[in-house]
Every structure is written in structure tokens, then in C-alpha cells.
Amino acid sequence: MDIKKAIKEKLHEAIEDIFDLKVDVSQIIIQKTKKEFSGDFTIVVFPLTKLLKKSPEELGELIGEALLKSVKEIKSYNVIKGFLNIELNNDFWLDFFIEQHSDVYYGYKEPKPGDPVVIEFSSPNTNKPLHLGHIRNNLLGDSISRIIDATGRSIKKVNLVNDRGIHICKTMLAWQKWGKNKTPYSTEKKGDKFVGDFYILFEKEYKKEVSELIEKGQSKDEATKNATLILEAKEMLKKWESSDPETIRTWEMMNDWVYRGFEKTYNKLGISFDKTYYESDTYLLGKKIVEQGLKDGVFYRDENGSVWVDLSGEKLDNKLLLRSDGTSVYMTQDIGTAELRYKDFNPSELMYVVGNEQNYHFDVLKIVLKKLNKPYSKKINHLSYGMVELPEGKMKSREGTVVDADDLMQLMVKTAEEITKELGKIDEITEDQKEDLYNKVGIGALKYFILKVDPKKNMLFNPKESIDFNGNTAPFILYTYARIHSVLRKAPKDMLLPIKGKYDNLEINSKEKELLRMLFDYPEVIEESAAELNPAHIANYTYELAKEFNQFYHENQILNAGNKDIIDFRIRLASFTGIVIRSAMNLLGINVVDRM
RNA sequence: GGUUCCGUAGCUCAACUGGAUAGAGCAACGGCCUUCUAAGCCGUAGGUUGAAGGUUCGAGUCCUUCCGGAAUCACCA
């Protein structure tokens, strides 16, 4: 089945025969032939010309002739400049088709035994609702998990909730001061939104107080430190760290509100985790490890009592690990959670889906763990992704320029509903099924919009322009899938059963072969996406596949094609395409629909 | 200022990791529904890949310099 490998081997032999010379096969590139040329695969012969001292054309001819004789699947070849285009015969494509066309796991590898990849994503703060930036994080984490899983490695999805710290105390304080007796239930507000509003309120009041102090003659630095609000928040953090019952009670209650809100958002997005960690449970472990490192002389203590790591040997600055008051910082916590995760899962890899603004943080984390001689220091892998920007620039929670996750999802579903109703094609299904359809189309459109972009690049979202439902979008792909199923519903039943025998004298036409060629590529696309941690390859591939099918569909009759073999073949080809579309969409976390 | 990343059609994104004439969608314009779903298909127009050098058979991709943008360099997370 691996025709590329076979061609490479034969090519190797041919060169040995003709030139009496061994050539490193790895430098031979076999790629897909571009559409404007005839052929299926192309061998670039330029790299060989120097070695073999022949012109590209001459060499192409020689190799082409040799391969034509030695590889039975090759039907013909042609040489254009230094490119040797190889066309495979009808039987090769038919055999491939017959073998694979009904396998719903086509492209997926058998699960391999081995230690899991632990992949952390989402990682919300409990003081504000999720926004579009979090959506990108969640979708990337979820999709990458699915893709890695498809390559046969086991995965564990973990969430790390940032549920402690000064920012949490700010919201608690604001609620105690100005929100007495109000709850998400009494106000019928989603819990995370309810709590987030108090964070914003705190920042507003704090800002006001600071500017009042500045008017009274304090410097800006003094004012930000001396404002009673921030002092009270710090006081509350101390109380929290000393487990003051009243503070803990409020903290637990407000966090619970937030979690109920998050759960709704996760459900709507279709995101789940194998395990959720809470920083309130893990930050002390990090502290312990740092203190041990201090004893072992890996870190040093500053005069004021703070603990640091010296990274000058790595051409970096010194990095703080414990504050002078003994409390822990972000890095301390990540040291603890890495240790905990290692003990929990014995992972082959510790992956972190975190924005590229934290590249430096993860560089340092790796080095610190290495200095501590942790066996997992080499297993840390930061999947760094770019920011979602608005036309005005970066989203800022405090400035209210964020695109709220729930609002955006709701808008997408509503748009899906409006378009569906306008087209009026789905009258015969129940209300529940319609709701389900709007959800799948709307949320699918959003997911695709995010995932089709290369993760490492920043991307732009313009709230004034709605996300498209035409062109390179999920609705386009889902529509293609629905069309396929519309045909399959009308197909003769025996043509949906397992295939018996082969076709007699079935010649595949050019559109059919284009489709087969694309379907043939699918396993490689999964491999590539997994290797590069890039779901965008899956997205763009699926779009090309759907486009190819639509062209095929437009130019060829399926159910009314004259010959029975052709009808059977085309129905199965449509079904095969449908299987791959559903499979690929699943890797993006997008659900398909049978009609729309 | 140091470090890292990014500049591709009016806009949003591709380009199989150095390969053929840089491709799609949106927006604009024109054509195709008495035939399996027109959320579709076909066509027109749109480019000195930020700029200049260099490396080689061959550069959007690699190297150097410059221009423009972003991130980061916290006793924030």
C-alpha cells in the first residue's frame, strides 16, 4: 500500500544498476504532482544531477524508463524540466479504493501501548469569564489531543485552574463590599459573569481611589501601593493563606459559582478533561521543591529573603522563585504541577497549550527543572500559539474590549438558525433536531474559523464582520457532507453493503481520480498535523476535499450514471468521502450533520 | 535597549518545510437551478511575497542589513 516507499526503493535500485552508485534515499523527494501537470506523483531529479553528471531531462528519462519497468503500478511517466511525473494505473487506484473505502477508522493508527501524553490546556482564572482568546486555547488543546490520539498515542487532557491569588481576593473583596446578599441565582446571571463583574468593579473603584490619592499629592507609585482597597485585598490574601474560615467560605462559594458558569461554556464548546488540577492544591508542593533546591545549592537566597535561580549560564537573567515574604509565584506553582503530573501519569510528554506571551516562562521552566535534575525536564513541550487580536489590537479584560465566549457562541448559533430558516430546506425534522443542527453548524463555524489558522500565528477577529458561512468554512464542509448523505439515503440498499468482488472494466475518470488521490493523502495529513501540532493542516485539507467532491458532484451523475458498476462505485466513493470528512471534522472537534 | 516571533491580492488566510506559472475564500463583476441539496458550480479582475543585497540548478521559505509591527525581559499571572 505504501507506494511512495516502493517507488523510492526501486529508484534506489535503478540508480545502482545504471550508474553503479549508491545514493542516499532520504534526499529524494517524492511529492504530489501539481494539478496543472499530468501524473500522480513527482520526483524532483535536480538533487541527483550533480552526483550523476547528467542533465535533468536526460536523468528524468532514464529513471522514468527504469521505474516504468520495475514498478508494476506505474502506467506512464513524463519529464518536464527536472520534474519526473509518474502516473499510476487504474488498478492501483481501484485496489486502494476497494481496500479502504468502508473503513470508518481510515487514517487512524492502532492504539500503541506506552505512556500517555499529558496535555494541559484551558487553564482559566476564576475571576473572569472565558473570552475569545480562551476559545482558541481550548480548541487547540482539544483538537491536538484528538489528533495525537489518532496517531495511536494515548493522551490525558488536564486543566489547571488558577483559583488563588491576589486577583481572586479582589473579586471577593468587591463582592463583600458592594454585592452583599446578591448571588448568581438571585440575579439570574451566569456564575462566572456574575463574579467577573465584581473584578471589573474592583478595578474601577481602585482606579478611582488611586486618582483621588494622586490629587491629594501622592505619587502614582505611592498611590497604587497605599490605596485602602489594595491593602485590604492583600490582607485578604494573607487570611486566605492562613486558612481563615470566613475567607475560605466566601472563596469556596464564589469559586463554585464560577465553576458552574464555566461548565456551561465547556459544554457548549464540547470540551472535557480527564483531570482538573487546582493551584490551591499544588502551589505548596512547588514551594517545597524550591526549598529543597535551595538546600542543594541549585538556587540562592537574596539578602531580603527572596529565592532566585541564576540563569546567566544560559544567557538569561535571574529569575525569582519565592518572594521575600515566602509566598510563591507563577514559576513556583508550575514546578509543583509538573512534579504532580509526572507522579500521576508517568507521561512520555508533558505538553502545555499556552500563549506565546509565555515563551520565556517555559524556557525558564525547562532550565530550572533540568537544574533540579528532574527526569521530566526533557519532556516539557510548550505548544505556543499566537494571540487573537481585534482591529484595535490586543483584547484587554480590564478595558472591556474582550469578545465574550458565550456571547460569540450564541451569536454563531443564532446566525446558523437564521440562514437555515431563510433557505428553508429542513422542514421535516423536529424542533429538537433543529436546535441540534443550529448548534452544530454555528459552533462548527466558530471552531473552524479558529482552527484553520496556523496556531503559531497571531490572528485577527473583527467583531463587526460576522464569521463567514460560505467558502473556506465549516458550514461549506458540513453542507458537502449533508449532500453526500442525501444521496446515500436514496441509494439502492445493496450498494451500501460490504463490497463483493471487483468491478469489471471500470475506468476511473479524472474527477474520480482527483478525489481518490486526495483521500489517499488523508493518513499523511494526520501524521503531519500531529508532528507539527497543527490542526490547520486538517482543516485546509478537509476544505480542499469538500471542494473536490463538489466539483465531482457537479460534473457527474451518481444515482443516474448509466452503468450499474459506475453507480455502485460512485455511491461508495461518495460514502468514502463522507467518512473522511466526518473523521477529519471529528479531529477538529466539529460535529457533522446529515442534512442542512 | 537585549532577546524572540511576524510582514504574502483591498480584507482573512494557504503554499506539502528549498521545487514547476505564489493559491483559496470574502468583498466586486458576469454566467449556471423542469435533473442526486444553489450554504453549490464555472468565469473575470486583483501580486515587484515590507526593501536591498547574498547563498545555488532553483528563494515567499535559508544568511546579512534596513523598514514596519507584536511579545517578552516584574517580589503580575
Side-chain angles (χ1 to χ4, degrees), chain A residues 317-328:
Chain A
D317 295 328
N318 293 350
K319 184 82 185 173
L320 179 85
L321 297 176
L322 284 177
R323 294 193 188 99
S324 50
D325 64 2
T327 57
S328 63

Side-chain angles (χ1 to χ4, degrees), chain A residues 307-319:
Chain A
V307 176
W308 296 75
V309 58
D310 179 1
L311 300 173
S312 52
E314 283 79 13
K315 290 182 181 171
L316 298 170
D317 295 328
N318 293 350
K319 184 82 185 173

Side-chain angles (χ1 to χ4, degrees), chain A residues 23 61 112 131 161 243 252 266 302 395 524 531 543 570 584:
Chain A
V23 174
E61 286 291 339
K112 291 184 281 253
H131 59 67
V161 181
S243 302
E252 282 176 342
Y266 284 138
D302 192 71
M395 287 188 272
E524 211 175 294
Y543 169 64
R570 287 187 182 161

Side-chain angles (χ1 to χ4, degrees), chain A residues 465-480:
Chain A
E465 297 169 12
S466 51
I467 292 175
D468 265 311
F469 279 64
N470 298 316
N472 189 357
T473 66
F476 170 87
I477 295 166
L478 298 185
Y479 173 71
T480 308

